[in-house]
Amino acid sequence: MKIQVASLIAAAVMAVSPLAWADDHYKTFDQAAQAALTPDQALSLLKEGNARFVAGESIDRDLIEQQKATSSGQFPFAVVLSCLDSRSAPEVVFDQGVGDLFVGRVAGNVVDTNLLGSFEFATAAAGSKLIVVMGHTACGAVKGACDGVELGNLTALLDEIEPAIDAVSTPVGADRSSANTAFVNDVIETNVRMQVNELLRRSDVVRGLVDAGQVKVVGAVHDISTGEVTFL
Ligand SMILES: [Zn+2]
């Protein structure tokens, strides 16, 4: 479906709910549509987008038209922190276009001061309604951390995943290396939960927005085999 941004925006925003507006026309968000969206509706948009991706029904967007429509301003409805992994790109996995998502990416999807500052900008200043911390199956960063890999600056990055490894208990004598897929999957999910907590603990700004009901922070795991994203 091609997008006819300029002619439809004003009427559509006034006439229908933001959710239906986004569903019907697949335009990028403008300020009014973003402001009208609730955190739960933002989450629904991501779930619907992932369902389209999994079904092979991603929208045939006119990205050049979206680029033009957003050139004078951006109003993304959600923020995603994901891994560096080439198979876990949020815009693709959630079937979103130009101007729809703020995306922060780092191996192992761990939060740091720079990312927290970025997310505070995205929500408090730029109006996004949802922050998703998304890990993924077969994560090389988590596997590397499990195996105690050391390499230049990567060593310090992988240290950030250590608390998740320590938090996952296994039977005595169990393999706690990357060869144990069940263990790795537990660490991946635990790391996501811990990064969500870390984000809320370290950002007064985001926590304030969450307490006020203006923003939601959720964890998720992307299965790189099926494409499916499971929200925790
Ligand atoms: Zn990864």
Side-chain angles (χ1 to χ4, degrees):
M1 185 186 293
K2 292 287 180 183
I3 304 142
Q4 297 165 22
V5 177
S7 60
L8 292 172
I9 283 180
V13 169
M14 300 307 290
V16 298
S17 78
L19 214 54
W21 172 77
D23 284 348
D24 287 349
H25 305 295
Y26 305 113
K27 298 188 299 294
T28 56
F29 275 70
D30 70 356
Q31 192 161 20
Q34 185 206 49
L37 201 71
T38 67
D40 285 330
Q41 286 175 321
L43 183 57
S44 292
L45 288 180
L46 292 186
K47 287 179 177 175
E48 289 164 12
N50 180 241
R52 289 194 302 270
F53 171 67
V54 169
E57 294 170 353
S58 293
I59 295 162
D60 182 18
R61 289 178 171 79
D62 188 336
L63 296 176
I64 300 299
E65 201 57 45
Q66 291 197 326
Q67 179 181 261
K68 286 181 199 162
T70 54
S71 62
S72 59
Q74 61 167 344
F75 304 95
F77 68 91
V79 186
V80 183
L81 168 60
S82 72
C83 183
L84 192 71
D85 196 289
S86 65
R87 302 161 294 183
S88 199
E91 291 93 338
V92 174
V93 168
F94 291 118
D95 187 27
Q96 300 298 321
V98 177
D100 292 331
L101 300 178
F102 283 115
V103 173
R105 303 191 64 173
V106 61
N109 40 271
V110 292
V111 299
D112 66 14
T113 303
N114 296 328
L115 285 165
L116 291 174
S118 301
F119 299 162
E120 289 168 1
F121 163 76
T123 51
S128 287
K129 301 302 176 70
L130 176 71
I131 301 175
V132 180
V133 177
M134 184 171 79
H136 67 97
T137 58
C139 180
V142 169
K143 286 181 176 179
C146 292
D147 292 343
V149 166
E150 296 190 357
L151 172 70
N153 290 290
L154 181 61
T155 305
L157 195 165
L158 297 187
D159 282 348
E160 301 289 323
I161 303 172
E162 281 294 328
I165 295 172
D166 294 342
V168 173
S169 57
T170 46
V172 176
D175 182 3
R176 290 176 66 88
S177 78
S178 64
N180 183 344
T181 301
F183 171 66
V184 169
N185 286 340
D186 282 349
V187 175
I188 287 165
E189 184 175 323
T190 301
N191 180 49
V192 167
R193 293 185 192 278
M194 292 180 103
Q195 297 306 326
V196 167
N197 291 339
E198 194 67 0
L199 193 163
L200 291 169
R201 186 181 71 77
R202 289 173 59 180
S203 174
D204 293 343
V205 172
V206 172
R207 206 171 55 250
L209 290 167
V210 169
D211 290 345
Q214 295 172 21
V215 167
K216 220 168 200 175
V217 182
V218 298
V221 176
H222 169 221
D223 185 324
I224 60 159
S225 299
T226 65
E228 199 172 338
V229 175
T230 303
F231 287 89
L232 304 178

